[in-house]
Amino acid sequence: MEIQIDPHTLEKAKERGTNKDEIIDIIHTGFDIPARYGRKGKAKVYDFKQMRLNKYYEQKKVEVYYTIEGNKIITVTVYVFYGKWGV
């Protein structure tokens, strides 16, 4: 299935600390998460082990929300959370 990454998603990805490659990886290999408004969601936890905004974080969890139109996945937005998960 083709993946179309919306410009809004790329803008938010840059602001929040992720990128196009991670978004595609999450759509292919992430785990399903609840989504509203008829959308779908997937997430994945990555080892981070670096500083962000003057604070050290072990991991980051990236959530991608998208719709499916025909044979195309179209991203809506992406969120990034920093912390430590038991994954």
Side-chain angles (χ1 to χ4, degrees), residues 25-64:
D25 178 48
I26 292 159
I27 290 171
H28 287 301
T29 67
F31 54 88
D32 292 332
I33 56 173
R36 297 186 295 191
Y37 312 116
R39 297 175 179 155
K40 297 191 176 290
K42 287 202 174 191
K44 190 168 185 176
V45 176
Y46 292 95
D47 283 335
F48 189 65
K49 298 182 182 179
Q50 49 186 307
M51 302 289 286
R52 176 157 173 89
L53 304 175
N54 297 318
K55 187 170 179 187
Y56 179 83
Y57 295 99
E58 283 287 323
Q59 297 175 315
K60 70 177 180 180
K61 180 168 75 169
V62 183
E63 298 180 353
V64 177

Side-chain angles (χ1 to χ4, degrees), residues 75-87:
T75 64
V76 175
T77 196
V78 62
Y79 295 103
V80 182
F81 304 93
Y82 294 88
K84 176 84 172 128
W85 290 266
V87 178

